[in-house]
Structures are given as structure tokens and as C-alpha cells.
């Protein structure tokens, strides 16, 4: 019956720990990724930036300023320099209610360290950020995926840049891709746009803000996955699940877990 259907719908929703459990701990640190695991996140979301010496690191911004005690562009610093920075104290200052002395002084992880820590069978949802600033980042990402024998069945690579996704697709067509989208007003997508995205991607990741049921159903019926970002309250989670999304990004994976359990 209807109730059973609703339960089925809840069960399969992919819970993506956005920047780790970044509502509770400093984003893109091993601590926040670990917390995402404990809170039943299915995937760890990792944003990528690249250092001056070509190392991929887990960081959202092109600049060090917001999430470390450094300043300036990541691309102007070597990994050795980035490793000296404190990636946790900013969080304690900004979110005193979640502050923890253990966060002070923690390091920015490299993608390599993330793979070493969580292993080849963990589900990773990796974003190529600013690919136009970092030529070669797709190739380096693929090199590390292969070096650590990451399970490609459960690996997703996402980007706002279709050029970056097409490059990934060209380098290794077996990598599953998600096209990120950003709407500033009521979301709408044409059949032609869906057809174009389906050539290389298995899904789309739109901001949830301007989504509507018609959009979600159109995308799902086309056979694409849809994982809106970044959903941090239970009411919105429930609404989106009801509309038929197949997963979502959240800074609070524990809340989505509760929603999935019907709580
Ligand atoms: O990758 C999904 C979502 O994280 C996209 O926005 O700016 O948080 O990376 P952003
Ligand atoms: Ca992201």
C-alpha cells in the first residue's frame, strides 16, 4: 500500500556527508569524514583543489583563508606549506556550540590520505573544483583512484564544469559522473538538456532551493539520478524524498538517517 511505498522510497535515498559531517566538525578533515561515517552517511563528499606542486587536497575554496589560518590561493602554495596550516581552529571560533579542543591544529588532508584512511571500498563522491585553474586535475584524480584501486562501482565524480566531466569520461568511461547545476530561480530542465547530460553522466546535482516536484519527476523518469545539495533540515529532506529524489547532500547526515528511519 501507500505506506509501504513511502518506506521503500526512504530506504534507498543516498546519504552524502557533505564535506563530511561538516555541520558538527571542521569541513574536509579526516575527523569530519569519520563523523560522517559514524552518522550513517553512505558517501563521503570530497571537494578537490590542487597545490602549486600538483597535489590534490580536500578543500572547498580556491583560497586558504576561510578554512585554515593561511591566506591566499591554494595554487600558490606547496603541499608542505599547506600541511603546516591549522584547518580546525576557525571552526571552534565560528561554531562555539560544536567546538572541540581536538579540532585545533588538525591538517588539510590530501586525497591520497583520504583514500589511505577510508580504503578502496568506501563510497567517495568527489568534486573537481575550479578545473580551469588546475589543468591536469582529472588525470591526477584518476591516477590516484587507480593507484588505490578505489571501487569504481561506488565512486562518483561530480562537477559544475561539463568540460571537466567530459574529460573524465574521455580518460575513463567507466567512471560514474554527476553534473552539478545551480539555479537562481525556479528550476527547469528541457528534454534536450537531459539528453545532453545523459551522454556522459548518470545523474544531476542541483541546489534544492528552487526545485519543484515536476523537475524532480522529469529527471527521475529520464533515468537520471538526482542528488540535491545542501539539505540541512528534516522538513526539506522529507519533502524532497516525497518528490522522488534519489539522494542528497547534507552537513547533518544523522538527520537524514533519522528521516530514512521514519523518525
Ligand atoms: O557538490 C555539491 C555541492 O557541494 C556543490 O556546492 O559549493 O558546496 O561545493 P559546493
Ligand atoms: Ca561540493
Amino acid at each position: 500500500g501507500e505506506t509501504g511505498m513511502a518506506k521503500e522510497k526512504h530506504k534507498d535515498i543516498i546519504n552524502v556527508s557533505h564535506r563530511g559531517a561538516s555541520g558538527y566538525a571542521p569541513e574536509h578533515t579526516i575527523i569530519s569524514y569519520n563523523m560522517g561515517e559514524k552518522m550513517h552517511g553512505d558517501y563521503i563528499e570530497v571537494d578537490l583543489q590542487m597545490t602549486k606542486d600538483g597535489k590534490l587536497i580536500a578543500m572547498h575554496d580556491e583560497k586558504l583563508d576561510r578554512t585554515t589560518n593561511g591566506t591566499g590561493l591554494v595554487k600558490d602554495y606547496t603541499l608542505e606549506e599547506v600541511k603546516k596550516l591549522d584547518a580546525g581552529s576557525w571552526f571552534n571560533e565560528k561554531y562555539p556550540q560544536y567546538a572541540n579542543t581536538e579540532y585545533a591544529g588538525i591538517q588539510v588532508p590530501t586525497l591520497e590520505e583520504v583514500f589511505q584512511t577510508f580504503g578502496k571500498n568506501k563510497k567517495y563522491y568527489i568534486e573537481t573544483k575550479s578545473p580551469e585553474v588546475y589543468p591536469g586535475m582529472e588525470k591526477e584524480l584518476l591516477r590516484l583512484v587507480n593507484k588505490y584501486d578505489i571501487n569504481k562501482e561506488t565512486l562518483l565524480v561530480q562537477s559544475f564544469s561539463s568540460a571537466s566531466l567530459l574529460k573524465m569520461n574521455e580518460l575513463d568511461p567507466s567512471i560514474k559522473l554527476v553534473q552539478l547545476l545551480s539555479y537562481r530561480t525556479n528550476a527547469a530542465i528541457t528534454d534536450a538538456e537531459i539528453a545532453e547530460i545523459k551522454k556522459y553522466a548518470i545523474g544531476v546535482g542541483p541546489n534544492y532551493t528552487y526545485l519543484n516536484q515536476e523537475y524532480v519527476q522529469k529527471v527521475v523518469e529520464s533515468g537520471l539520478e538526482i542528488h540535491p545539495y545542501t539539505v540541512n533540515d528534516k522538513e526539506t529532506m522529507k519533502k524532497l524524498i516525497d518528490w522522488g529524489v534519489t539522494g542528497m547532500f547534507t552537513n547533518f547526515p544523522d538527520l537524514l538517517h533519522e528521516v530514512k528511519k521514519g523518525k
Side-chain angles (χ1 to χ4, degrees):
E2 203 53 39
T3 318
M5 292 271 290
K7 271 188 192 148
E8 283 306 302
K9 241 187 204 178
H10 283 68
K11 209 178 65 182
D12 297 333
I13 301 299
I14 289 174
N15 187 342
V16 186
S17 298
H18 185 248
R19 315 181 191 180
S22 61
Y24 299 109
E27 65 183 60
H28 292 313
T29 59
I30 297 295
I31 287 180
S32 113
Y33 295 156
N34 255 319
M35 207 177 280
E37 291 293 281
K38 292 211 180 83
M39 294 180 173
H40 305 279
D42 300 308
Y43 279 77
I44 298 175
E45 197 233 6
V46 183
D47 291 323
L48 294 181
Q49 302 283 341
M50 201 179 219
T51 62
K52 190 177 178 179
D53 49 338
K55 308 293 185 199
L56 292 175
I57 59 167
M59 188 172 289
H60 178 273
D61 299 0
E62 268 176 59
K63 293 178 86 176
L64 300 163
D65 302 55
R66 184 177 58 87
T67 58
T68 74
N69 60 342
T71 55
L73 296 165
V74 172
K75 72 174 177 65
D76 293 333
Y77 291 87
T78 63
L79 178 61
E80 196 186 343
E81 290 166 332
V82 170
K83 277 290 178 186
K84 291 187 179 129
L85 302 174
D86 174 346
S89 293
W90 70 273
F91 181 90
N92 289 344
E93 284 157 34
K94 194 168 173 188
Y95 302 104
Q97 71 274 37
Y98 295 122
N100 186 322
T101 50
E102 285 181 17
Y103 299 162
I106 54 177
Q107 293 182 353
V108 174
T110 60
L111 178 61
E112 197 152 12
E113 287 165 340
V114 174
F115 286 165
Q116 286 166 346
T117 304
F118 296 95
K120 64 179 187 175
N121 288 317
K122 180 58 210 165
K123 296 172 178 173
Y124 302 99
Y125 207 136
I126 302 176
E127 180 177 354
T128 55
K129 280 274 181 214
S130 313
E132 62 290 341
V133 177
Y134 308 116
M137 84 184 307
E138 294 85 3
K139 206 173 166 199
E140 177 62 4
L141 166 56
L142 190 59
R143 186 183 74 81
L144 293 176
V145 163
N146 287 326
K147 179 177 176 190
Y148 288 94
D149 194 22
I150 302 304
N151 185 353
K152 291 180 185 173
E153 282 304 311
T154 51
L155 169 69
L156 291 170
V157 174
Q158 46 163 342
S159 191
F160 286 102
S161 164
S162 52
S164 181
L165 294 178
L166 287 166
K167 197 167 288 174
M168 281 303 305
N169 187 241
E170 197 180 290
L171 291 168
D172 184 342
S174 76
I175 304 282
K176 294 183 189 172
L177 305 172
V178 171
Q179 178 68 60
L180 296 176
L181 300 164
S182 177
Y183 295 99
R184 285 176 180 77
T185 181
N186 289 346
I189 191 161
T190 64
D191 292 334
E193 284 168 331
I194 287 176
E196 196 53 39
I197 290 168
K198 282 189 85 169
K199 285 182 189 164
Y200 58 89
I202 60 104
V204 294
N207 54 320
Y208 78 88
T209 342
Y210 300 106
L211 280 190
N212 51 72
Q213 185 161 23
E214 188 192 350
Y215 182 108
V216 172
Q217 288 179 355
K218 183 171 186 173
V219 168
V220 171
E221 276 162 24
S222 81
L224 286 171
E225 303 286 324
I226 178 166
H227 302 157
Y229 63 88
T230 301
V231 189
N232 293 327
D233 70 276
K234 289 168 94 171
E235 283 318 302
T236 309
M237 289 170 181
K238 286 176 191 168
K239 182 181 75 179
L240 291 168
I241 291 170
D242 199 49
W243 286 354
V245 303
T246 55
M248 65 188 94
F249 295 85
T250 178
N251 297 343
F252 300 92
D254 56 338
L255 296 186
L256 182 52
H257 184 66
E258 285 177 13
V259 168
K260 284 173 67 173
K261 292 275 179 198
K263 288 183 199 160

